[in-house]
Amino acid sequence: MEVAALVALTLLLGALVGLVALAVGRRKEEIREEAEQAAEFAAEASVVKGTAPKKQKQEKQRSRKDKATQHTFSHPLLASSLKAHSGNVTCLDFSSNGKYLASCADDRTVRIWSTKDFLDREHKCLRANVDLDDATLVRFSPDSRAFITWLANGDAIRIFKMIKKDDGTLTFKAAPEDFPQKHKAPILNIGIAETGKFIMSASVDTSILIWDLKGEVLASINTNQINNSYAAVSPCGRFVASCGFTPDVKVWEVCFGKGGEFKEVARAFDLKGHSAGVHSFAFSNDSHRMVTVSKDGTWKLWNTNVEYKKQQDPYLLKTVPCVSSEGSLTALSPDGRVVAISDGCNLAMYNAASGKLEEEMHGVHSGAINDLRFDVNGRFLVCSGDKAIRVFHNAPGYRAAISDMQDMLKKAQNEAMKQRLQQQIHDAQSALDTVLAAPVD
Ligand SMILES: *[C@@H]1O[C@H](CO)[C@@H](O)[C@H](O)[C@H]1NC(C)=O
Ligand SMILES: *[C@@H]1O[C@H](CO)[C@@H](O)[C@H](O)[C@H]1NC(C)=O
Ligand SMILES: *[C@@H]1O[C@H](CO)[C@@H](O)[C@H](O)[C@H]1NC(C)=O
């Protein structure tokens, strides 16, 4: 992958928030971080080397068999396919420092991938073993140094710490005790607030539990939505939201006192407008926007940056027809410019402002897409639905950023500003062309 193109693309997404000036000063820090991360991911190499020869042979035979039955998929926006799991991947999460992608599968492992090498041929990952169980859900802690998992058999939350050894490699250690079993129905989702103050778990009945980090239940919410199809913690860590059989999306604030002690869970606001049940929803990274996808055959974009305590309601920005079905998921790029919707094993990407359908991907996985999210910089969209993880370039996001810069260019007053914008637009466009022209295996 051409480094220049990569840098230009990263700058493009940052350009509108003034990252350009910082970029040069950042280089040194970046080099240090890269070296650190290379050391962390050196561990997998030693794991592979240490494998007994007999087992390797078995694995080779198995992988040959796998290849024969493997689902093939190609698309111009496909940046890479991450393959290491021997079972179906069930959940994905990016760390908030942007360095890692976690995935879990029904092969008793959680894998931690380095986001730096998404565009390389080889994709390094570290393996955390889930003893005698499968993790079905995984979420990073806010400091990116631990993750929580949901155990398929244990029916409970297990915390894993990511520990840096003296030689710089990362290793994983499960907390001595799992959280107690409390849910009475299959689990839908788990989350940790970015504030580090609580953990959430939600099941398909109408129950959401709020936990402290030690595994004590702080509160139990009955969503009263007949059944739940999705629930999540907002990226700002203030809110918990749920949707289900009823057409509304409900949002609560999890309130803490000045001393950090838990106070209460309070109703914050509802998103009302769909005419049928809501399959799922997503937030922008500052929690100021939400997108919802419903059985009524539309997705809706909402402005949720309101003072609900002063009786302000969130308001609807956009309603766009789309194909959806039971289990449809949605993702909103961090900057709110792109909406992604899944429908079975198909994927669609829309410009959030215009509602225009920009990209369609069919048969992305052999099974239905079961997780979908943008990376923290909005460069990639990733999804799972079989053993592989697909990583797509967020080309609609780049195009939207370029078009925003073109609007700024029209309004620009002084010559220096105009020239800078023209240069940035040119660089961004050629970087995008380069990335899209790069072949993927
Ligand atoms: C939710 O409840 C409705 C109505 O009772 C039912 O038709 C639907 O299948 C339920 N969905 C799930 C996922 O349980
Ligand atoms: C993995 O997913 C594929 C596609 O949905 C499915 O055919 C297969 O049965 C799944 N394997 C397991 C072990 O669940
Ligand atoms: C959200 O994402 C945008 C674009 O990537 C970034 O500039 C901004 O700093 C992020 N904000 C938060 C709160 O993470």
Side-chain angles (χ1 to χ4, degrees), residues 183-259:
H183 282 282
K184 296 186 181 72
I187 207 78
L188 267 180
N189 201 5
I190 56 173
I192 314 186
E194 203 54 28
T195 53
K197 286 185 180 155
F198 69 91
I199 286 173
M200 178 224 65
S201 59
S203 43
V204 299
D205 53 4
T206 57
S207 106
I208 295 180
L209 295 178
I210 306 297
W211 309 75
D212 70 12
L213 301 192
K214 298 204 179 82
E216 292 284 335
V217 174
L218 298 173
S220 164
I221 305 172
N222 179 355
T223 67
N224 273 318
Q225 287 169 308
I226 302 180
N227 52 30
N228 285 350
S229 48
Y230 191 70
V233 181
S234 67
C236 62
R238 253 178 89 188
F239 303 112
V240 163
S242 79
C243 63
F245 189 73
T246 59
D248 51 344
V249 174
K250 293 185 179 176
V251 183
W252 291 264
E253 178 167 1
V254 183
C255 306
F256 292 84
K258 288 227 162 63

Side-chain angles (χ1 to χ4, degrees), residues 90-112:
T90 52
C91 185
L92 303 168
D93 195 38
F94 284 101
S95 61
S96 43
N97 66 6
K99 286 168 132 191
Y100 313 117
L101 171 68
S103 59
C104 57
D106 52 12
D107 61 1
R108 308 212 152 160
T109 70
V110 173
R111 301 277 174 164
I112 306 293

Side-chain angles (χ1 to χ4, degrees), residues 63 90 188 228 248 373 402 415 424 438 440:
S63 86
T90 52
L188 267 180
N228 285 350
D248 51 344
R373 44 193 69 230
I402 291 172
E415 202 51 38
Q424 280 177 358
V440 176

Side-chain angles (χ1 to χ4, degrees), residues 88 106 366-367 385:
N88 285 335
D106 52 12
S366 55

